[in-house]
Amino acid sequence: DVITVPENPEKLGYTFDAWDGMPEDGVLPAANITVTAVWSVNTYTITYKVNGEEYTAQTYEFGAAVSAPEYTVPEGYTFSGWSVPETMPAEDLVVDATCTINVYEVTLIDGFNGDPIAVLYVEHGQDAILPDAPEHTGYIFDRWDGDSTNVTEDLTITACYWLIGDVNHDGEITTYDALLIMRYALGLETEGNELIMDFNGNDALTHLMRFLCFAGALAQHNRICKHGRSEPKDSVKLLLQPRKPRVAATVKKQNRAAQEGLPGLLLSHN
């Protein structure tokens, strides 16, 4: 009898090839026979993309272990990686990963009172654009403490201020500051922070401020002399010592000033 061959069977992940053991003439012999289906495993492709752009592709047999390819992440970027199955399924796959630039938080702090000013979000390698610092009565904004260029991590930048009149930035106004200002007023000091002389914010030093500077220095000198010293302290003398151009500063008590208990100052150029 002629053997009736069934339709080709199906198996997930495989392709049917033939019946093993089937008589070539298709006629059933005078004995029992066993025929076995022969299969070949299918191969499938995984296409790997990064931000929608194809990166590479790999081919696997059905059921084979899947291993994602290596990817070199650029500095300053975060790579999500590819989500792949442990073994190859019976279908082609497309997996997409993201590679995004890092964004850092730059926190701005008001150094005067510790209050937060703003939080800036800056991409890797970019510069933080700093706003104008808050104003505080009696204080001058000095600088931002922290490097806002080429940001590569979260950081905190603080707005620094100094007290108007606090020339040496020691946190208080003393006679030493007054004497330094006086030297600037006389042109004996030329190096330093230009804000030292900018009392009214428009780079103009008025005659009144000159007088107050002299008055502060004189008051200290008279207090020193009143306590039994005939000469000013070394620090005072040092500040009054001439530099280029040579200017000698001598302090004299005039008769009328002495009678009225008022200080007197005579400045002469030699």
Side-chain angles (χ1 to χ4, degrees):
D1 293 341
V2 176
I3 299 174
T4 303
V5 180
E7 293 183 1
N8 292 342
E10 294 182 356
K11 184 179 180 180
L12 183 65
Y14 292 83
T15 298
F16 174 76
D17 289 336
W19 291 105
D20 182 32
M22 179 70 69
E24 292 183 3
D25 58 4
V27 177
L28 182 65
N32 292 332
I33 63 173
T34 300
V35 295
T36 304
V38 178
W39 308 88
S40 59
V41 64
N42 296 339
T43 58
Y44 301 95
T45 299
I46 299 180
T47 301
Y48 297 90
K49 292 185 175 183
V50 178
N51 296 338
E53 298 291 331
E54 184 172 343
Y55 174 68
T56 190
Q58 293 178 336
T59 299
Y60 295 93
E61 290 184 348
F62 171 74
V66 174
S67 178
E70 294 184 357
Y71 180 79
T72 302
V73 182
E75 181 181 359
Y77 284 74
T78 297
F79 181 62
S80 67
W82 292 286
S83 178
V84 296
E86 293 183 1
T87 59
M88 190 66 200
E91 61 178 342
D92 293 331
L93 297 178
V94 176
V95 289
D96 197 358
T98 59
C99 186
T100 56
I101 192 169
N102 295 339
V103 176
Y104 307 105
E105 289 188 359
V106 178
T107 303
L108 305 183
I109 300 297
D110 188 331
F112 178 78
N113 51 28
D115 291 344
I117 299 173
V119 176
L120 308 178
Y121 297 93
V122 183
E123 292 184 347
H124 178 86
Q126 299 299 309
D127 298 343
I129 307 302
L130 303 180
D132 292 337
E135 295 182 358
H136 297 287
T137 302
Y139 288 79
I140 293 178
F141 172 70
D142 185 21
R143 70 189 188 284
W144 290 103
D145 184 21
D147 188 0
S148 63
T149 62
N150 190 29
V151 176
T152 58
E153 61 182 348
D154 293 338
L155 54 87
T156 299
I157 298 179
T158 303
C160 298
Y161 302 80
W162 57 277
L163 186 64
I164 294 178
D166 180 17
V167 180
N168 61 355
H169 294 191
D170 63 356
E172 58 182 354
I173 300 176
T174 63
T175 305
Y176 184 81
D177 296 305
L179 292 172
L180 283 177
I181 296 174
M182 182 175 67
R183 291 188 61 84
Y184 274 87
L186 293 173
L188 305 179
E189 294 283 354
T190 58
E191 297 181 359
N193 194 318
E194 65 275 7
L195 293 177
I196 291 175
M197 302 307 295
D198 186 13
F199 289 98
N200 55 10
N202 62 2
D203 299 320
L205 179 63
T206 63
H207 293 292
L208 175 61
M209 294 311 300
R210 289 177 182 267
F211 170 79
L212 292 177
C213 293
F214 281 106
L218 289 173
Q220 177 67 2
H221 169 71
N222 286 338
R223 282 195 295 269
I224 293 173
C225 295
K226 182 177 181 180
H227 286 80
R229 299 187 184 95
S230 59
E231 296 292 337
K233 289 183 179 179
D234 292 341
S235 61
V236 177
K237 290 194 293 183
L238 178 63
L239 287 168
L240 292 177
Q241 286 176 359
R243 298 184 184 180
K244 296 181 180 180
R246 298 185 59 83
V247 178
T250 57
V251 180
K252 294 183 179 180
K253 288 186 178 180
Q254 301 176 4
N255 293 334
R256 181 176 180 182
Q259 293 174 359
E260 298 179 0
L262 298 175
L265 176 65
L266 174 63
L267 296 176
S268 60
H269 293 266
N270 295 333

